[in-house]
Amino acid sequence: MRHNLNLNISKIVLAIVTCFAIVVGSVDLGNYDAEAKVTYIKSLKIAKGNSYTLSIKGKKGRIKWSTSKKSIATVNSKGRVTARKKGKCTVSGKIAGKTYKTSVSVYSSSGSVKLTNTATGSGGSTRISGSMSSTLSKVGTAIANRYTTINVTVDSAVTAYSYTSKLFSATAGYVNDYDYLSMSSYSYSAVSNSSSTQIRYTINYRITSSYNKKLLAKAKSVAKTFTGSTSTKIKKIHNYIVKNTDYVNGGYTAYNALVDHGAVCEGYALEFYLLCKYAGISCHVVTGTAYGSNGEGNHAWNVVKNGSKWYNMDVTWDDTTASTAYYMKSNSKFSKHYADSRSQSFLSGLNRA
């Protein structure tokens, strides 16, 4: 059985994979305004040279796009905004007789972002045997070490489905958020008898072993610079990411965010997770949708623990809207974010603010 972790995966047998797919595709971001069921970006902060595609959801018809200053940012017929030079302008989308305006702020990037293809290179293979609990832990370690072929022999009769469900459970802890979201797809085959089960996993990663090692070393080094109380560290990590990362389409990994300095929301959230981890702060990556419970806008963000409470954190939106509107927010002040079922499974057990 093969599982490609993409947006149109709802018909796949393993429901657990559906939850992972939610953050794979392109992601809308920004500060949305709403008119009844109409959603659109009210403000967008974008680095010079980068592009972002706007949309207006909830209205039927052809959208006519225009920009107030082509020298600052252009927009094509499909709503794709391209930042030309530092400055501010307004991009308008006219549909069904009404105009929706997005304030665009273009800033000078710290440098030309070139995204690394971190999926290049092959991983090794390993063999694991033992009880169900011991092999699950070992398989989790093998995934963390980016093995692409994992042969498992369990000394009891289990179904591959139940074993895999436990392996990737968000609450079991065998595979953490970072390693889980670093997979792009997996497949498995199994043979079972009355006394044992053999499962062979083949896994493709977005970030292979060599790149992963470089990334983790970088994350540990950067995390050492964050000193002070937990709240102080969280603030420093947040500000570091905002200062050093540009929103760039196609950057799905923490490597893209931390090393290349360009990513989409998934890269931002994974970078925040890793820096918190190495700074000794409890954190999770939450995947789901934003701007509406019906699923417009696949998204990823974080929850982070300060004291006894867990707070919501969306570094991507803070960066792209040049604000702290999504920093350390309680649920009542963190609207338009909807976690998927996998994330809900661990969120329900947290003492949330």
Side-chain angles (χ1 to χ4, degrees):
M1 184 177 291
R2 182 171 185 81
H3 306 275
N4 292 311
L5 306 180
N6 55 47
L7 290 174
N8 297 314
I9 202 166
S10 59
K11 294 183 180 180
I12 290 179
V13 175
L14 289 182
I16 190 172
V17 182
T18 306
C19 307
F20 166 67
I22 222 78
V23 294
V24 175
S26 61
V27 184
D28 294 332
L29 67 149
N31 184 15
Y32 262 70
D33 197 3
E35 171 199 307
K37 293 184 179 180
V38 177
T39 54
Y40 65 99
I41 293 178
K42 188 177 181 181
S43 63
L44 175 68
K45 173 171 164 270
I46 188 171
K48 176 184 174 182
N50 289 337
S51 297
Y52 181 75
T53 302
L54 296 173
S55 63
I56 300 172
K57 298 183 182 297
K59 284 280 190 180
K60 293 183 178 180
R62 181 176 177 272
I63 305 172
K64 183 177 180 180
W65 295 100
S66 62
T67 177
S68 63
K69 293 181 181 179
K70 291 183 179 180
S71 61
I72 302 298
T74 58
V75 60
N76 67 12
S77 61
K78 295 182 178 180
R80 185 173 177 82
V81 177
T82 300
R84 298 300 184 187
K85 71 175 184 178
K86 185 177 179 180
K88 294 183 179 181
C89 67
T90 299
V91 172
S92 301
K94 187 175 183 179
I95 182 172
K98 185 158 185 178
T99 300
Y100 300 89
K101 296 183 178 182
T102 298
S103 175
V104 178
S105 177
V106 178
Y107 65 98
S108 297
S109 174
S110 56
S112 179
V113 176
K114 295 181 179 180
L115 297 179
T116 303
N117 180 6
T118 58
T120 58
S122 59
S125 62
T126 185
R127 292 186 177 275
I128 294 168
S129 61
S131 66
M132 186 167 183
S133 60
S134 69
T135 56
L136 283 168
S137 295
K138 292 175 183 177
V139 173
T141 300
I143 291 173
N145 290 326
R146 301 296 182 265
Y147 281 98
T148 54
T149 304
I150 306 172
N151 296 285
V152 188
T153 301
V154 186
D155 60 10
S156 59
V158 297
T159 65
Y161 173 81
S162 63
Y163 187 92
T164 303
S165 296
K166 288 185 178 180
L167 174 65
F168 294 129
S169 166
T171 57
Y174 296 116
V175 179
N176 65 34
D177 297 345
Y178 169 69
D179 292 328
Y180 182 73
L181 291 170
S182 292
M183 297 188 302
S184 57
S185 68
Y186 70 86
S187 62
Y188 65 78
S189 58
V191 177
S192 181
N193 56 42
S194 60
S195 60
S196 66
T197 302
Q198 295 180 341
I199 307 173
R200 178 185 176 91
Y201 289 102
T202 302
I203 303 176
N204 295 316
Y205 298 96
R206 292 183 181 182
I207 177 167
T208 57
S209 180
S210 59
Y211 285 111
N212 192 51
K213 289 176 181 177
K214 293 177 183 178
L215 169 63
L216 298 186
K218 172 78 171 181
K220 290 176 183 178
S221 175
V222 172
K224 288 180 180 179
T225 66
F226 305 129
T227 58
S229 65
T230 297
S231 60
T232 299
K233 288 180 181 179
I234 292 171
K235 186 66 174 177
K236 288 180 178 179
I237 293 171
H238 170 277
N239 292 350
Y240 176 88
I241 295 173
V242 168
K243 180 180 178 181
N244 293 285
T245 309
D246 292 336
Y247 187 91
V248 177
N249 290 325
Y252 293 108
T253 69
Y255 189 101
N256 295 140
L258 184 60
V259 180
D260 297 335
H261 304 293
V264 294
C265 65
E266 186 178 354
Y268 275 79
L270 289 171
E271 179 183 13
F272 185 81
Y273 173 90
L274 281 182
L275 292 179
C276 281
K277 175 184 176 181
Y278 290 124
I281 300 167
S282 297
C283 182
H284 281 289
V285 177
V286 184
T287 57
T289 59
Y291 322 128
S293 58
N294 291 328
E296 296 96 344
N298 303 301
H299 199 46
W301 62 97
N302 299 93
V303 288
V304 61
K305 189 177 183 182
N306 184 32
S308 62
K309 299 283 188 178
W310 287 80
Y311 295 84
N312 297 293
M313 174 81 74
D314 193 333
V315 188
T316 308
W317 283 17
D318 273 352
D319 188 18
T320 56
T321 60
S323 73
T324 56
Y326 307 96
Y327 178 82
M328 297 288 283
K329 296 297 181 181
S330 63
N331 284 340
S332 63
K333 296 181 179 180
F334 198 71
S335 62
K336 300 180 182 178
H337 289 69
Y338 304 88
D340 59 27
S341 57
R342 182 180 189 274
S343 295
Q344 284 285 6
S345 69
F346 64 76
L347 288 174
S348 61
L350 302 181
N351 182 25
R352 303 184 69 188

